[in-house]
Structure formats: C-alpha cells, structure tokens
Amino acid sequence: MAKEKKGRAIALLPIVVFLVIFLGTGFITGDFNSMPAIVGFLIALFVAFLQDRSHNFNEKIHIIATGVGEDNIITMCLIFLAAGGFSGAVTAAGGVDSVVNLGLSVLPSGAAVVGLFIIGCFISVSMGTSMGTIAALAPIAVGISEKTGYEMPVCIGAVMCGAMFGDNLSMISDTTIAAVKTQGCEMKDKFKENFIIVLPAAILTIIIFFVLTSDIQYEASGDMSYSIWKVLPYLVVLIGALIGFNVFLVLAAGIVLSLIVGVASGSIGLAEIFKVVASGADGSGGIMGMYDITVISIVVACIVSLVKEMGGIQFLLTSIKSRIKGKKGGELGIALLAVLVDMCTANNTVAIVMAGPIAKEISDEYGISPRRSASLLDMFTSVGQGLIPYGAQLLSAASLTRTTPYEIIPYCIYPMLMAVSGVVFILFIKNRKAPNIKGEGENL
C-alpha cells in the first residue's frame, strides 16, 4: 500500500495568494474587473512552482499535465466550447428572441424571473450539467432583462440557481455519480434523501425571487412575435436531455438545428454558418467567447495539481476529520470538508472525488447512512461552486451576460438557502436509517 502523503497547511499558499490578489484588488480599487481572473491564477501558479522544491521543473510540468489531462477537466473544457457554439448559433438564428417573446407572452407579469429559475431547475435536472443549463438560458436571461427592465444580475442569478439545483440532484450529473460511487449507495436513495433536504430551499427561492421582482410590472411591447421553428433547437436540447442523451450530442444537435433554422429563415447567411458558431452574430460570443473560461479552467487544474502534490488538500482532509465528535459533528464535518475542498479546487466533481474517501470513513465511524453522506457531499460542494467568484459556473454566467461574478453572487439565493437547509437538517432532523445500510451500495 502506498504511503499516505503528509498534509501541509503551507501548501495552500498559492490559493491564498490568488484570493488576496483577486479579491483585494477589487476592494482597493472598487472595480472587481481591475484584476482579470486569469492574471490572478497565473500569479498563483507561479507561486506554486516556486514553492514546490521537491520536484525539478520537468517533474512539475508532468504533475500539472497529468492534472489537466483528468477526465473531468477535459470534459468541462469541451462542454464550455460546445455550450459557446450553441449559444452563438441559436442567438444568431433568432432562437433567443423567439423564446423570450414566447415566454413573456405566456408568463404573467412579474413571474418572468421565477420562470427562469423553474425552467433552469427542469433543464439542469434533465441535462445533468449546470454549465449546459447556463449556456442555454443565459441568452434568454439577457433578452428578458432587456425587455422587462429587470436587472441583469437578478435574471442571470435565477439561471444560476436553477443550474445548481440540477447539478446537485440530477441522476446523470457527474457530481451525483461521484458522490454515490464514493459513499456506496444507490442513486434513487441518494436522490430521495437529497430532494427532501433541498426542497425547502427551492420553495423559498421561488418566493424570494417573486418578492424581489413583484414591484416591477411590465407590458409586452414592441415586436413580440415569435416563431416555433426558432424555438425548436431549445426544445430538442430539452427533450434530448430528458431522454438521457449525452450532453455533447444534445448541444451538437442544438447547434446543427439552429444553423438549419437560421439559414432557412434568412437570419443566417449560408456563408456565415461557421462564423456564428465560432464568434456569434456580433463577433463576441460563440466558441471564442468561451476561450477565457476554458483557459482559466486549465490553469486552475495546474494549480490544484501542485497544491495536492504538496499536501494542501490532504491537510484539509485530515484537519477536519481530527476535530469531529459525534454523529452531528460527523455530518457537519462532511459538509465543511466538501465546501473547503471545493473552494480549493474550484470544481465540485473533483472536490467530491478528493473528499469522498474521508467522508466515507467519517460516515462509517459515526453511523451516518451512505445516502446521507452522499447527499451532504454533493450539496455542499454545489454550495461552494455556486458562490465562489472564480468557479466555472459564475465565470461562465458572467461571460455570457457581460456582468461580473460579484454582481451575480447576491442573487445566487438557492445555493445560500441550500447551505442553510442542509445545516438545519443536520442539527434538527434525525438521520433516517436505511433498511440495509450495509448493502446499500451492492447494486451499483
């Protein structure tokens, strides 16, 4: 058996440096755009290279290359590019305008933002990816904001909330799969446990969004025409997700259909079909619009690889485990572990994979059912991922709507309430024992 790597608090220095530079610059200047995230991450990566003295330069390159080459990182980057392509094509084809006009024609006044959240929940549960949901709904959020007068951060905040709902609950989400596999339970058991915990948060989120936007009454004005044909790409994406198709196939089908509809309706010239996929109708979207977030994800993976190699992640794992007392303490420990590791990795799937084995030890030692520990792992990594300004979801949402993560975070109501609901269940709701906890994971 390989010797366990010793945890070292100082190994977290690159992450601390990034947070100090990135957040500090924003507070000092009053402009959180004054320090581009990629610059802050490159400085942190430089610090990590200097700090790791146990490997030569070539060995460090191998370590970060291995980290970047992990399945989750490559998958995430490809989803970014596919989502950007779909966003560019469907917007150029007029699909966004048609969906917005259709929605505003059907929804009662004051319910558009609530509708964004509910639709986001539905799509994200179906697709199993928060990134795909954000890519599909962000352009619609922009259109609703422009036509109703709702502030852009409120609209995209509703999309973020819906996206994180499904990221946590979907049966085909990689976070759900990782949580279930590491804790040894069945997906249906984890879903039931998880859904009960987050349902109050979802209901309260609907109420809060309704109250926040109830004082803004709008009347659909101007050109409110829509074409069902232009809405078709969105319907295909949604239905494909419901059937359970792979997210790449769904987005690819959405791109192709958007181009066909755009060309047939005259919205896209035949010579422009590749251009709109690459850069959108205005030259600032499409695949090229996702380059920044893709590069950031690669650099973050490099930093995490070195931090992990130096024992930073292991320090968090062992520190939390050593301070746990009792069953409630064990559940709180799993929750804290999930949030902290996610903050360090900026990837909730990676965080679950890293924290999973320790969470399993904690649940076994204190009699916590596997479905409860899997739910807590998935929930609290989603809490962190939905609120950290350098996470892929917020960066993508900001990029697609030309806002900043800091403008959106106050309206990421669901992740905040999910944390509150999770803590309330840990402290006051008794953990139900599964009929056969020992064998819960046998049918995986």
Side-chain angles (χ1 to χ4, degrees), residues 37-96:
I38 185 60
V39 176
F41 279 123
L42 285 173
I43 293 172
L45 180 59
F46 180 68
V47 170
F49 260 84
L50 291 179
Q51 187 181 3
D52 184 2
R53 298 183 180 180
S54 60
H55 300 91
N56 61 39
F57 182 80
N58 289 333
E59 290 172 336
K60 294 173 190 176
I61 291 294
H62 177 72
I63 291 169
I64 64 175
T66 301
V68 171
E70 288 185 357
D71 291 354
N72 288 323
I73 303 301
I74 297 299
T75 300
M76 183 172 63
C77 290
L78 291 176
I79 288 176
F80 289 153
L81 300 179
F86 174 68
S87 177
V90 76
T91 301
V96 173

Side-chain angles (χ1 to χ4, degrees), residues 211-224:
V211 171
L212 283 176
T213 58
S214 61
D215 60 335
I216 300 179
Q217 299 296 318
Y218 66 87
E219 290 186 12
S221 59
D223 182 12
M224 296 301 295

Side-chain angles (χ1 to χ4, degrees), residues 21-40:
I21 293 175
F22 188 60
L23 300 179
T25 303
F27 284 119
I28 292 171
T29 63
D31 178 12
F32 285 98
N33 285 321
S34 59
M35 168 59 76
I38 185 60
V39 176

Side-chain angles (χ1 to χ4, degrees), residues 149-168:
Y150 294 130
E151 294 183 3
M152 184 73 72
V154 176
C155 293
I156 193 60
V159 172
M160 272 290 302
C161 290
M164 298 317 297
F165 178 88
D167 196 303
N168 168 231

